[in-house]
Amino acid sequence: MEKKKIVFFGDSVTQGCFEILRENGEFKLIVDQPSCYGEKLTSLLKNRYKNVQFETVNSGISGDGLIEAEARVDRDVIAHKPDILIFCFMLNNMSRRDTEWYGEHLEVLFDKFKSAGITTIVMSSNMVNKYVAPDTPEVHIEMAKDLVECQNGGVLDSYAEKLKKEAEKYGFYFVDAYGAWKKLDSYGIDTTMLLSNRLNHPTRKMHWLFADMLFDCIEKNHLIEK
């Protein structure tokens, strides 16, 4: 039986973090990895390719941006020698409001993937909150305000565009999940209500959007043989 290894490299969304609660003065992550897009994609692939044995590695870590990714890329990606890498880092560096910085650090990582000859799919993120929702926990209000500025002020749009340009420059596959979220927004859907923490973590149902788009990319580009 043919074997395929897929590594998912990203932040809390990739990890499967849905809530961040504060209990007794400490923050507690509510991680539900079976509900994340990586698991959903794996389920789709196993159903489609019965003759392939899939091994998946979830290298998502909550709070990580590109600096943290650079520090662990050898251990969490290169060392696994994946057949397919799915890369999703957009959310945790946007508060810098520095698209050029973002692009420069993407290139550090993309150089490594290219040198290692890894088939790479770059996926843009979800939207963040467009307003401070009434049920936003008090401890997250300031963060919510900052995210609103980034979303409504075009910061996340510029990061998504930079991510796409860098992916295309390196010849990587690009999945525009952010564009799909923007389309939902243009239809009048309240995308803030599609975030489980009203900040930046999509609901479990919305992880299917990522999984479906990634599956379509893999199918369209024949990245796995039947």
Side-chain angles (χ1 to χ4, degrees):
M1 179 177 284
E2 184 182 3
K3 296 182 179 181
K4 290 288 183 181
K5 181 182 290 187
I6 303 176
V7 170
F8 299 88
F9 191 40
D11 52 30
S12 54
V13 177
T14 297
Q15 181 186 25
C17 180
F18 290 91
E19 304 281 356
I20 303 177
L21 306 177
R22 191 169 187 175
E23 295 182 357
N24 301 319
E26 296 184 357
F27 288 105
K28 178 181 179 182
L29 301 180
I30 305 301
V31 176
D32 179 10
Q33 201 168 89
S35 295
C36 73
Y37 71 81
E39 292 295 322
K40 295 178 188 299
L41 173 62
T42 302
S43 176
L44 292 173
L45 292 173
K46 286 181 176 179
N47 186 60
R48 176 72 170 116
Y49 300 98
K50 305 289 189 181
N51 62 326
V52 178
Q53 180 179 338
F54 290 97
E55 178 185 352
T56 59
V57 179
N58 189 322
S59 289
I61 296 182
S62 180
D64 273 12
L66 296 187
I67 296 298
E68 292 81 9
E70 288 170 18
R72 63 187 182 89
V73 63
D74 289 332
R75 179 195 69 194
D76 291 349
V77 177
I78 307 300
H80 290 294
K81 299 181 180 179
D83 297 293
I84 297 174
L85 167 65
I86 294 172
F87 174 95
C88 186
F89 279 97
M90 242 178 73
L91 298 177
N92 289 332
N93 291 123
M94 65 180 166
S95 289
R96 285 178 172 271
R97 294 166 172 78
D98 189 341
T99 309
E100 292 309 309
W101 179 96
Y102 180 61
E104 289 169 4
H105 286 275
L106 283 174
E107 291 185 358
V108 172
L109 291 163
F110 287 5
D111 281 341
K112 280 186 169 287
F113 306 153
K114 195 75 171 179
S115 296
I118 300 172
T119 298
T120 301
I121 301 175
V122 175
M123 183 170 71
S124 55
S125 75
N126 51 276
M127 292 172 61
V128 296
N129 55 302
K130 294 184 67 180
Y131 60 90
V132 179
D135 56 347
T136 303
E138 183 65 30
V139 68
H140 296 320
I141 293 296
E142 291 307 311
M143 179 181 179
K145 291 178 180 177
D146 184 62
L147 293 177
V148 168
E149 289 182 6
C150 289
Q151 183 64 69
N152 297 342
V155 175
L156 203 51
D157 290 0
S158 67
Y159 272 50
E161 184 60 29
K162 176 62 75 173
L163 182 65
K164 180 180 180 181
K165 287 182 178 178
E166 291 292 342
E168 291 175 346
K169 183 170 76 174
Y170 279 80
F172 296 158
Y173 300 100
F174 183 71
V175 170
D176 191 13
Y178 184 74
W181 275 72
K182 292 284 285 187
K183 189 172 289 187
L184 292 175
D185 178 57
S186 73
Y187 295 156
I189 294 173
D190 186 347
T191 52
T192 300
M193 289 296 110
L194 301 179
L195 300 166
S196 62
N197 63 349
R198 303 296 187 259
L199 297 170
N200 53 8
H201 294 159
T203 62
R204 289 162 175 80
K205 184 176 180 180
M206 288 305 293
H207 273 253
W208 276 113
L209 181 147
F210 298 133
D212 288 339
M213 293 185 75
L214 288 166
F215 180 79
D216 287 345
C217 176
I218 290 170
E219 282 277 276
K220 175 183 177 181
N221 294 289
H222 308 289
L223 301 186
I224 297 173
E225 296 297 327
K226 293 182 182 179

